[in-house]
Amino acid sequence: DPWATVMDDGRTVAEYAKEQLYNDIVRTQILVGKAGNYGISLTDEMNAQLADSAQQYVDGLGADICEQFGLNASAIAQVYQDGELSSSVYNAVRDQLSTQMKEDANYSSLSDEDFENAVNDAYNTLYEGWLAEADIQTTDIWDTIVVGSVG
């Protein structure tokens, strides 16, 4: 079972995957929560496209699998919408940081690579602040989630 493989840090691959999933969910929700601050929202057209994609996904899975895992097109569409919105916020934040930093003489002599690293550092610092301020809660079901193969 590859999920039980123990990594160098002592965690199993399954534990690592669950931690990454948790971090991705938290990051997405923090960025979605910042959308209004950056004037970002999804258009009706984009929401319709994402709803269509979600329906196609659900149709492809079939009714049995959807019932077994409690999946529906509405919930999948919400995941898609959150992903699209969080990506847009991420890009807007990085663009804003980049613009601000280009105007700062402290960054004018940096190579492109060093400037990109500085923007990454600035974004990570900003995100870590948002993360520290976030009221993150999980339900008991999170503790029962097991990562592994299905089927």
Side-chain angles (χ1 to χ4, degrees):
D1 178 20
W3 295 104
T5 302
V6 178
M7 301 182 344
D8 291 341
D9 64 3
R11 293 179 294 169
T12 65
V13 171
E15 290 167 336
Y16 173 79
K18 185 175 177 181
E19 182 181 325
Q20 290 303 305
L21 174 62
Y22 175 83
N23 291 337
D24 288 347
I25 292 168
V26 168
R27 183 178 309 105
T28 296
Q29 292 307 308
I30 287 174
L31 291 172
V32 165
K34 298 296 179 184
N37 297 359
Y38 290 87
I40 296 174
S41 62
L42 299 179
T43 64
D44 290 342
E45 180 181 342
M46 177 57 72
N47 282 325
Q49 288 175 357
L50 295 170
D52 287 345
S53 294
Q55 187 61 57
Q56 290 173 12
Y57 180 73
V58 167
D59 291 346
L61 289 175
D64 291 343
I65 290 177
C66 288
E67 185 176 325
Q68 180 182 355
F69 291 99
L71 299 173
N72 61 63
S74 177
I76 300 297
Q78 186 63 56
V79 170
Y80 288 176
Q81 289 166 348
D82 287 351
E84 185 70 28
L85 196 55
S86 68
S87 292
S88 295
V89 172
Y90 172 80
N91 290 331
V93 170
R94 287 186 48 82
D95 288 348
Q96 185 180 69
L97 288 170
S98 180
T99 298
Q100 291 169 348
M101 293 168 74
K102 283 178 182 174
E103 296 171 356
D104 185 332
N106 293 321
Y107 299 100
S108 63
S109 64
L110 295 179
S111 69
D112 289 345
E113 181 179 348
D114 287 343
F115 181 79
E116 186 64 24
N117 289 335
V119 172
N120 288 338
D121 290 346
Y123 170 81
N124 290 333
T125 298
L126 185 60
Y127 176 78
E128 289 300 322
W130 292 340
L131 181 60
E133 295 169 356
D135 180 21
I136 301 169
Q137 300 176 17
T138 60
T139 61
D140 292 341
I141 197 168
W142 182 257
D143 295 330
T144 65
I145 293 174
V146 177
V147 176
S149 301
V150 175

Short mmCIF file of all heavy atoms in Angstrom, two decimals, residues 65-114:
data_model
loop_
_atom_site.label_atom_id
_atom_site.label_comp_id
_atom_site.label_asym_id
_atom_site.label_seq_id
_atom_site.Cartn_x
_atom_site.Cartn_y
_atom_site.Cartn_z
N ILE A 65 -21.55 6.31 -7.80
CA ILE A 65 -20.38 6.89 -7.12
C ILE A 65 -20.76 8.19 -6.42
O ILE A 65 -20.36 8.43 -5.29
CB ILE A 65 -19.23 7.10 -8.12
CG1 ILE A 65 -18.66 5.75 -8.54
CG2 ILE A 65 -18.13 7.98 -7.52
CD1 ILE A 65 -17.57 5.80 -9.57
N CYS A 66 -21.56 9.02 -7.08
CA CYS A 66 -21.97 10.28 -6.47
C CYS A 66 -22.76 10.04 -5.19
O CYS A 66 -22.55 10.72 -4.19
CB CYS A 66 -22.79 11.11 -7.45
SG CYS A 66 -21.77 11.81 -8.76
N GLU A 67 -23.63 9.04 -5.22
CA GLU A 67 -24.41 8.72 -4.02
C GLU A 67 -23.51 8.18 -2.92
O GLU A 67 -23.62 8.56 -1.76
CB GLU A 67 -25.50 7.72 -4.36
CG GLU A 67 -26.42 7.44 -3.18
CD GLU A 67 -27.56 6.51 -3.54
OE1 GLU A 67 -28.06 6.58 -4.68
OE2 GLU A 67 -27.95 5.72 -2.67
N GLN A 68 -22.59 7.31 -3.29
CA GLN A 68 -21.68 6.70 -2.31
C GLN A 68 -20.85 7.75 -1.58
O GLN A 68 -20.62 7.65 -0.39
CB GLN A 68 -20.76 5.71 -3.02
CG GLN A 68 -19.78 5.01 -2.09
CD GLN A 68 -18.86 4.05 -2.83
OE1 GLN A 68 -18.99 3.82 -4.03
NE2 GLN A 68 -17.90 3.49 -2.11
N PHE A 69 -20.41 8.79 -2.31
CA PHE A 69 -19.54 9.80 -1.72
C PHE A 69 -20.24 11.12 -1.43
O PHE A 69 -19.60 12.10 -1.05
CB PHE A 69 -18.32 10.03 -2.63
CG PHE A 69 -17.40 8.85 -2.67
CD1 PHE A 69 -17.45 7.95 -3.73
CD2 PHE A 69 -16.50 8.61 -1.64
CE1 PHE A 69 -16.62 6.84 -3.76
CE2 PHE A 69 -15.67 7.50 -1.66
CZ PHE A 69 -15.73 6.61 -2.72
N GLY A 70 -21.56 11.17 -1.61
CA GLY A 70 -22.33 12.37 -1.30
C GLY A 70 -21.99 13.54 -2.20
O GLY A 70 -21.99 14.69 -1.75
N LEU A 71 -21.71 13.27 -3.46
CA LEU A 71 -21.34 14.33 -4.40
C LEU A 71 -22.55 14.78 -5.20
O LEU A 71 -23.41 13.98 -5.54
CB LEU A 71 -20.27 13.82 -5.37
CG LEU A 71 -18.96 13.36 -4.75
CD1 LEU A 71 -18.07 12.75 -5.81
CD2 LEU A 71 -18.26 14.51 -4.05
N ASN A 72 -22.58 16.08 -5.50
CA ASN A 72 -23.61 16.61 -6.39
C ASN A 72 -23.02 17.77 -7.18
O ASN A 72 -21.98 18.34 -6.81
CB ASN A 72 -24.87 17.02 -5.62
CG ASN A 72 -24.60 18.11 -4.62
OD1 ASN A 72 -24.21 19.22 -4.97
ND2 ASN A 72 -24.79 17.81 -3.33
N ALA A 73 -23.68 18.12 -8.26
CA ALA A 73 -23.15 19.14 -9.17
C ALA A 73 -23.02 20.49 -8.47
O ALA A 73 -22.08 21.23 -8.73
CB ALA A 73 -24.04 19.25 -10.40
N SER A 74 -23.94 20.81 -7.59
CA SER A 74 -23.89 22.10 -6.89
C SER A 74 -22.64 22.22 -6.02
O SER A 74 -21.96 23.25 -6.02
CB SER A 74 -25.16 22.27 -6.05
OG SER A 74 -25.12 23.47 -5.32
N ALA A 75 -22.35 21.17 -5.28
CA ALA A 75 -21.17 21.19 -4.40
C ALA A 75 -19.88 21.23 -5.23
O ALA A 75 -18.94 21.96 -4.89
CB ALA A 75 -21.17 19.96 -3.49
N ILE A 76 -19.84 20.47 -6.31
CA ILE A 76 -18.66 20.47 -7.18
C ILE A 76 -18.49 21.85 -7.82
O ILE A 76 -17.38 22.38 -7.89
CB ILE A 76 -18.77 19.37 -8.27
CG1 ILE A 76 -18.87 17.99 -7.64
CG2 ILE A 76 -17.60 19.46 -9.25
CD1 ILE A 76 -17.69 17.54 -6.84
N ALA A 77 -19.60 22.46 -8.25
CA ALA A 77 -19.53 23.80 -8.83
C ALA A 77 -18.97 24.80 -7.83
O ALA A 77 -18.17 25.67 -8.19
CB ALA A 77 -20.91 24.25 -9.32
N GLN A 78 -19.34 24.67 -6.56
CA GLN A 78 -18.82 25.58 -5.53
C GLN A 78 -17.31 25.41 -5.37
O GLN A 78 -16.58 26.39 -5.24
CB GLN A 78 -19.52 25.34 -4.19
CG GLN A 78 -19.12 26.34 -3.12
CD GLN A 78 -19.51 27.75 -3.46
OE1 GLN A 78 -20.68 28.02 -3.72
NE2 GLN A 78 -18.56 28.67 -3.49
N VAL A 79 -16.85 24.18 -5.42
CA VAL A 79 -15.41 23.93 -5.35
C VAL A 79 -14.70 24.58 -6.54
O VAL A 79 -13.67 25.25 -6.39
CB VAL A 79 -15.11 22.42 -5.28
CG1 VAL A 79 -13.61 22.14 -5.44
CG2 VAL A 79 -15.62 21.84 -3.98
N TYR A 80 -15.27 24.40 -7.72
CA TYR A 80 -14.70 25.02 -8.92
C TYR A 80 -14.71 26.54 -8.82
O TYR A 80 -13.73 27.20 -9.19
CB TYR A 80 -15.48 24.60 -10.17
CG TYR A 80 -15.30 23.17 -10.61
CD1 TYR A 80 -16.03 22.68 -11.68
CD2 TYR A 80 -14.41 22.29 -9.99
CE1 TYR A 80 -15.88 21.37 -12.13
CE2 TYR A 80 -14.27 20.98 -10.42
CZ TYR A 80 -15.01 20.53 -11.49
OH TYR A 80 -14.86 19.24 -11.93
N GLN A 81 -15.80 27.11 -8.34
CA GLN A 81 -15.91 28.57 -8.20
C GLN A 81 -14.88 29.09 -7.19
O GLN A 81 -14.21 30.09 -7.45
CB GLN A 81 -17.32 28.97 -7.78
CG GLN A 81 -18.34 28.78 -8.87
CD GLN A 81 -19.77 28.83 -8.36
OE1 GLN A 81 -20.03 28.79 -7.16
NE2 GLN A 81 -20.71 28.90 -9.29
N ASP A 82 -14.76 28.40 -6.06
CA ASP A 82 -13.77 28.81 -5.07
C ASP A 82 -12.36 28.74 -5.63
O ASP A 82 -11.54 29.61 -5.38
CB ASP A 82 -13.88 27.95 -3.81
CG ASP A 82 -15.10 28.27 -2.96
OD1 ASP A 82 -15.80 29.27 -3.24
OD2 ASP A 82 -15.36 27.51 -2.00
N GLY A 83 -12.08 27.70 -6.40
CA GLY A 83 -10.76 27.57 -7.01
C GLY A 83 -10.47 28.69 -7.99
O GLY A 83 -9.37 29.26 -7.99
N GLU A 84 -11.44 29.00 -8.82
CA GLU A 84 -11.27 30.07 -9.80
C GLU A 84 -11.10 31.43 -9.10
O GLU A 84 -10.22 32.22 -9.46
CB GLU A 84 -12.48 30.11 -10.74
CG GLU A 84 -12.36 31.09 -11.87
CD GLU A 84 -11.33 30.71 -12.91
OE1 GLU A 84 -11.06 29.50 -13.10
OE2 GLU A 84 -10.78 31.63 -13.55
N LEU A 85 -11.92 31.67 -8.10
CA LEU A 85 -11.86 32.94 -7.37
C LEU A 85 -10.54 33.06 -6.61
O LEU A 85 -9.89 34.12 -6.65
CB LEU A 85 -13.04 33.03 -6.40
CG LEU A 85 -13.39 34.38 -5.83
CD1 LEU A 85 -13.63 35.42 -6.92
CD2 LEU A 85 -14.64 34.25 -4.94
N SER A 86 -10.11 32.00 -5.95
CA SER A 86 -8.85 32.07 -5.20
C SER A 86 -7.66 32.28 -6.14
O SER A 86 -6.74 33.03 -5.80
CB SER A 86 -8.65 30.82 -4.33
OG SER A 86 -8.42 29.67 -5.10
N SER A 87 -7.68 31.67 -7.30
CA SER A 87 -6.60 31.90 -8.27
C SER A 87 -6.58 33.34 -8.74
O SER A 87 -5.50 33.94 -8.87
CB SER A 87 -6.79 30.98 -9.49
OG SER A 87 -6.58 29.64 -9.14
N SER A 88 -7.75 33.91 -8.97
CA SER A 88 -7.83 35.31 -9.40
C SER A 88 -7.31 36.24 -8.31
O SER A 88 -6.60 37.22 -8.61
CB SER A 88 -9.27 35.68 -9.76
OG SER A 88 -9.70 34.94 -10.88
N VAL A 89 -7.66 35.95 -7.07
CA VAL A 89 -7.17 36.78 -5.96
C VAL A 89 -5.66 36.64 -5.82
O VAL A 89 -4.95 37.65 -5.68
CB VAL A 89 -7.88 36.41 -4.63
CG1 VAL A 89 -7.24 37.13 -3.45
CG2 VAL A 89 -9.37 36.74 -4.72
N TYR A 90 -5.16 35.43 -5.88
CA TYR A 90 -3.72 35.18 -5.80
C TYR A 90 -2.98 36.01 -6.86
O TYR A 90 -2.00 36.70 -6.56
CB TYR A 90 -3.44 33.69 -5.98
CG TYR A 90 -1.98 33.35 -6.12
CD1 TYR A 90 -1.16 33.26 -5.00
CD2 TYR A 90 -1.41 33.12 -7.37
CE1 TYR A 90 0.19 32.95 -5.12
CE2 TYR A 90 -0.06 32.81 -7.50
CZ TYR A 90 0.73 32.72 -6.38
OH TYR A 90 2.06 32.43 -6.50
N ASN A 91 -3.46 35.94 -8.09
CA ASN A 91 -2.82 36.69 -9.18
C ASN A 91 -2.91 38.20 -8.96
O ASN A 91 -1.94 38.93 -9.21
CB ASN A 91 -3.43 36.31 -10.52
CG ASN A 91 -3.06 34.90 -10.94
OD1 ASN A 91 -2.01 34.38 -10.58
ND2 ASN A 91 -3.96 34.25 -11.66
N ALA A 92 -4.05 38.67 -8.48
CA ALA A 92 -4.22 40.11 -8.22
C ALA A 92 -3.29 40.58 -7.11
O ALA A 92 -2.69 41.66 -7.22
CB ALA A 92 -5.67 40.42 -7.87
N VAL A 93 -3.16 39.80 -6.07
CA VAL A 93 -2.28 40.15 -4.95
C VAL A 93 -0.84 40.21 -5.44
O VAL A 93 -0.12 41.18 -5.17
CB VAL A 93 -2.42 39.15 -3.78
CG1 VAL A 93 -1.34 39.38 -2.73
CG2 VAL A 93 -3.81 39.24 -3.16
N ARG A 94 -0.42 39.21 -6.17
CA ARG A 94 0.96 39.19 -6.68
C ARG A 94 1.20 40.34 -7.66
O ARG A 94 2.27 40.96 -7.63
CB ARG A 94 1.27 37.85 -7.32
CG ARG A 94 1.43 36.74 -6.28
CD ARG A 94 1.87 35.45 -6.91
NE ARG A 94 2.99 35.62 -7.82
CZ ARG A 94 4.27 35.70 -7.46
NH1 ARG A 94 4.59 35.63 -6.19
NH2 ARG A 94 5.22 35.84 -8.37
N ASP A 95 0.23 40.65 -8.51
CA ASP A 95 0.37 41.77 -9.44
C ASP A 95 0.52 43.08 -8.68
O ASP A 95 1.35 43.93 -9.03
CB ASP A 95 -0.83 41.86 -10.39
CG ASP A 95 -0.84 40.75 -11.43
OD1 ASP A 95 0.18 40.03 -11.57
OD2 ASP A 95 -1.90 40.58 -12.09
N GLN A 96 -0.31 43.24 -7.64
CA GLN A 96 -0.25 44.47 -6.85
C GLN A 96 1.10 44.58 -6.13
O GLN A 96 1.72 45.65 -6.12
CB GLN A 96 -1.39 44.49 -5.83
CG GLN A 96 -1.47 45.80 -5.06
CD GLN A 96 -2.61 45.78 -4.07
OE1 GLN A 96 -2.57 45.04 -3.10
NE2 GLN A 96 -3.64 46.58 -4.35
N LEU A 97 1.55 43.49 -5.54
CA LEU A 97 2.86 43.51 -4.87
C LEU A 97 3.98 43.81 -5.85
O LEU A 97 4.87 44.62 -5.56
CB LEU A 97 3.13 42.16 -4.18
CG LEU A 97 2.32 41.86 -2.93
CD1 LEU A 97 2.50 40.40 -2.52
CD2 LEU A 97 2.70 42.79 -1.80
N SER A 98 3.92 43.20 -7.01
CA SER A 98 4.94 43.42 -8.03
C SER A 98 4.98 44.89 -8.46
O SER A 98 6.06 45.49 -8.56
CB SER A 98 4.68 42.52 -9.23
OG SER A 98 5.64 42.71 -10.23
N THR A 99 3.82 45.46 -8.69
CA THR A 99 3.74 46.87 -9.09
C THR A 99 4.32 47.77 -8.02
O THR A 99 5.11 48.68 -8.31
CB THR A 99 2.28 47.26 -9.39
OG1 THR A 99 1.80 46.45 -10.48
CG2 THR A 99 2.16 48.73 -9.75
N GLN A 100 3.94 47.52 -6.77
CA GLN A 100 4.44 48.33 -5.66
C GLN A 100 5.96 48.19 -5.52
O GLN A 100 6.67 49.18 -5.30
CB GLN A 100 3.76 47.92 -4.35
CG GLN A 100 2.31 48.28 -4.27
CD GLN A 100 1.61 47.63 -3.08
OE1 GLN A 100 2.14 46.73 -2.42
NE2 GLN A 100 0.39 48.09 -2.82
N MET A 101 6.43 46.97 -5.66
CA MET A 101 7.86 46.73 -5.46
C MET A 101 8.69 47.29 -6.61
O MET A 101 9.83 47.72 -6.39
CB MET A 101 8.11 45.24 -5.25
CG MET A 101 7.50 44.74 -3.93
SD MET A 101 7.44 42.95 -3.77
CE MET A 101 9.17 42.60 -3.48
N LYS A 102 8.14 47.32 -7.82
CA LYS A 102 8.88 47.91 -8.95
C LYS A 102 9.09 49.39 -8.75
O LYS A 102 10.06 49.96 -9.27
CB LYS A 102 8.12 47.66 -10.26
CG LYS A 102 8.27 46.25 -10.78
CD LYS A 102 7.48 46.02 -12.05
CE LYS A 102 7.63 44.58 -12.51
NZ LYS A 102 6.79 44.25 -13.65
N GLU A 103 8.20 50.03 -8.01
CA GLU A 103 8.31 51.46 -7.74
C GLU A 103 9.24 51.76 -6.57
O GLU A 103 9.56 52.92 -6.32
CB GLU A 103 6.92 52.04 -7.45
CG GLU A 103 5.98 51.95 -8.65
CD GLU A 103 4.55 52.32 -8.31
OE1 GLU A 103 4.24 52.59 -7.13
OE2 GLU A 103 3.72 52.33 -9.25
N ASP A 104 9.67 50.72 -5.87
CA ASP A 104 10.53 50.86 -4.70
C ASP A 104 12.00 50.74 -5.13
O ASP A 104 12.40 49.71 -5.69
CB ASP A 104 10.16 49.79 -3.68
CG ASP A 104 10.90 49.92 -2.36
OD1 ASP A 104 12.04 50.46 -2.34
OD2 ASP A 104 10.35 49.47 -1.34
N ALA A 105 12.78 51.74 -4.84
CA ALA A 105 14.19 51.76 -5.24
C ALA A 105 14.98 50.59 -4.67
O ALA A 105 15.99 50.16 -5.25
CB ALA A 105 14.84 53.07 -4.81
N ASN A 106 14.54 50.03 -3.55
CA ASN A 106 15.24 48.90 -2.93
C ASN A 106 15.23 47.66 -3.83
O ASN A 106 16.04 46.76 -3.63
CB ASN A 106 14.61 48.55 -1.58
CG ASN A 106 14.82 49.64 -0.56
OD1 ASN A 106 15.89 50.25 -0.49
ND2 ASN A 106 13.80 49.91 0.23
N TYR A 107 14.30 47.61 -4.75
CA TYR A 107 14.17 46.43 -5.60
C TYR A 107 14.62 46.68 -7.04
O TYR A 107 14.66 45.75 -7.84
CB TYR A 107 12.72 45.93 -5.60
CG TYR A 107 12.24 45.53 -4.23
CD1 TYR A 107 11.45 46.39 -3.47
CD2 TYR A 107 12.60 44.31 -3.68
CE1 TYR A 107 11.02 46.03 -2.20
CE2 TYR A 107 12.18 43.94 -2.41
CZ TYR A 107 11.39 44.81 -1.68
OH TYR A 107 10.97 44.45 -0.43
N SER A 108 14.97 47.89 -7.37
CA SER A 108 15.26 48.24 -8.77
C SER A 108 16.52 47.59 -9.32
O SER A 108 16.62 47.38 -10.53
CB SER A 108 15.35 49.76 -8.92
OG SER A 108 16.43 50.26 -8.14
N SER A 109 17.46 47.24 -8.47
CA SER A 109 18.70 46.67 -8.98
C SER A 109 18.70 45.14 -8.98
O SER A 109 19.69 44.51 -9.36
CB SER A 109 19.89 47.17 -8.15
OG SER A 109 19.76 46.72 -6.81
N LEU A 110 17.59 44.53 -8.61
CA LEU A 110 17.53 43.07 -8.54
C LEU A 110 17.40 42.45 -9.94
O LEU A 110 16.77 43.04 -10.82
CB LEU A 110 16.33 42.62 -7.70
CG LEU A 110 16.33 42.97 -6.22
CD1 LEU A 110 15.07 42.45 -5.55
CD2 LEU A 110 17.57 42.41 -5.53
N SER A 111 17.98 41.29 -10.09
CA SER A 111 17.77 40.54 -11.32
C SER A 111 16.30 40.11 -11.37
O SER A 111 15.59 40.16 -10.36
CB SER A 111 18.66 39.30 -11.35
OG SER A 111 18.24 38.37 -10.36
N ASP A 112 15.85 39.68 -12.54
CA ASP A 112 14.46 39.22 -12.67
C ASP A 112 14.17 38.09 -11.70
O ASP A 112 13.12 38.06 -11.06
CB ASP A 112 14.16 38.78 -14.10
CG ASP A 112 14.11 39.94 -15.07
OD1 ASP A 112 14.01 41.11 -14.62
OD2 ASP A 112 14.15 39.68 -16.30
N GLU A 113 15.11 37.17 -11.58
CA GLU A 113 14.91 36.02 -10.69
C GLU A 113 14.84 36.46 -9.23
O GLU A 113 13.97 36.03 -8.47
CB GLU A 113 16.04 35.01 -10.87
CG GLU A 113 15.89 33.79 -10.00
CD GLU A 113 17.01 32.77 -10.21
OE1 GLU A 113 17.78 32.89 -11.17
OE2 GLU A 113 17.09 31.85 -9.38
N ASP A 114 15.75 37.37 -8.84
CA ASP A 114 15.74 37.85 -7.46
C ASP A 114 14.49 38.68 -7.16
O ASP A 114 13.94 38.61 -6.07
CB ASP A 114 17.00 38.67 -7.17
CG ASP A 114 18.24 37.81 -7.07
OD1 ASP A 114 18.11 36.57 -6.89
OD2 ASP A 114 19.35 38.37 -7.17
#
